[in-house]
Amino acid sequence: MDRTFWRQGGRLWLQGLLLLALRFWQDRAGFDPDTGLAVSSLPGKLMVGCLVLFAAVELVGAVRLPGKTGAPGAFAPPDKSLMAAVAGCLLLAGGGGLMAATAAAAREWLAVAAGIAAVLAAAGLLVLTRKARGGDTLSVMPVLPSMLFAVFLVLAVYRPRDCDPVLARVYLPVLAAAVVAYAFYHLAGFLRGDSGARIFVPMADLAVMLSLAAIADGDSLALRLVYGGCALVLTVFLVLRRGTAVQKGKHTAA
């Protein structure tokens, strides 16, 4: 991974890791140990404040982005970011496989579907990465499994928590899964030319940050790996969009 990756994606990871640290702190100090109910706490307030601030920054930054729709050639070849893309896909596939295996033993079929979909999503994103590296025209087909996976992820994260009365405990992982789903949807739309950078970039930025933060609330190692894979893969495509795109064999500004 080169300096461009960390210069353009490092801010998101720093913000995401800050949210992760605050969430770990909140999990230990923001809930009553006897009843499990939320209590007023500094990390809880800082967590909400940072989320609002980061979302506002993304909305303000989106105004300066081009409103025109994307195109298959709107991503640069992942030369020095290739290892990050592959690592993200492997995390996603590994987490999905582990999720499916453990959920099958417990007969949790929704989680099984989410795990299998995660493996298929990772395979599709690897195909997309290979095509981008070769300078081929990118299509939306390899991203379709990611959209299916994101739907199952939202359901798999939400259903075990839908009866929990403590909003402070459940909102972050559900919000993270929902924003990840929205980011993959707009990645597909960007490739089709139906969505623009003004929507895709802020949604993907927030998805990276929230995925990292939600690692603190992962019920299992599998879910933590899935969140980490989503954060890494989306960071790569954000960096490639902000880099130099290849169109018709020539380098042009993305």
Side-chain angles (χ1 to χ4, degrees):
M1 291 181 284
D2 61 349
R3 289 187 219 171
T4 303
F5 181 90
W6 292 116
R7 185 171 64 250
Q8 298 183 1
R11 172 184 67 85
L12 302 177
W13 279 68
L14 287 175
Q15 291 174 331
L17 291 175
L18 173 61
L19 294 175
L20 173 64
L22 288 174
R23 189 60 172 180
F24 271 127
W25 186 10
Q26 183 184 15
D27 286 342
R28 284 155 180 75
F31 301 96
D32 187 282
D34 297 323
T35 65
L37 297 176
V39 297
S40 179
S41 65
L42 177 60
K45 294 176 181 177
L46 289 175
M47 184 79 187
V48 174
C50 286
L51 283 173
V52 172
L53 175 62
F54 295 161
V57 169
E58 293 300 330
L59 290 175
V60 172
V63 175
R64 296 180 293 177
L65 293 171
K68 64 182 180 179
T69 56
F75 293 99
D79 296 327
K80 295 183 180 180
S81 300
L82 179 63
M83 293 305 298
V86 173
C89 292
L90 290 177
L91 283 175
L92 184 57
L98 183 60
M99 181 186 298
T102 54
R107 296 180 179 272
E108 297 174 353
W109 306 119
L110 186 58
V112 171
I116 294 173
V119 175
L120 295 176
L125 291 169
L126 280 174
V127 171
L128 186 67
T129 301
R130 182 181 62 81
K131 287 180 174 291
R133 188 187 185 198
D136 300 335
T137 300
L138 302 183
S139 69
V140 72
M141 293 300 295
V143 187
L144 294 182
S146 301
M147 298 172 65
L148 179 65
F149 149 72
V151 172
F152 280 116
L153 177 65
V154 172
L155 295 174
V157 170
Y158 173 73
R159 285 296 297 274
R161 298 170 171 83
D162 61 355
C163 294
D164 193 325
V166 184
L167 179 61
R169 184 165 49 233
V170 303
Y171 81 91
L172 181 62
V174 175
L175 179 62
V179 176
V180 165
Y182 205 47
F184 278 122
Y185 169 81
H186 281 290
L187 173 60
F190 201 74
L191 289 170
R192 279 179 51 87
D194 295 333
S195 181
R198 192 171 292 172
I199 300 178
F200 167 65
V201 171
M203 286 300 103
D205 283 355
L206 289 171
V208 171
M209 290 184 275
L210 288 169
S211 293
L212 291 171
I215 290 175
D217 286 324
D219 295 330
S220 62
L221 174 61
L223 193 55
R224 293 187 177 101
L225 291 175
V226 166
Y227 278 130
C230 290
L232 197 51
V233 167
L234 287 170
T235 302
V236 169
F237 281 101
L238 282 166
V239 170
L240 297 182
R241 193 215 66 85
R242 288 168 171 148
T244 302
V246 172
Q247 294 179 339
K248 298 180 181 180
K250 297 181 179 180
H251 291 274
T252 58

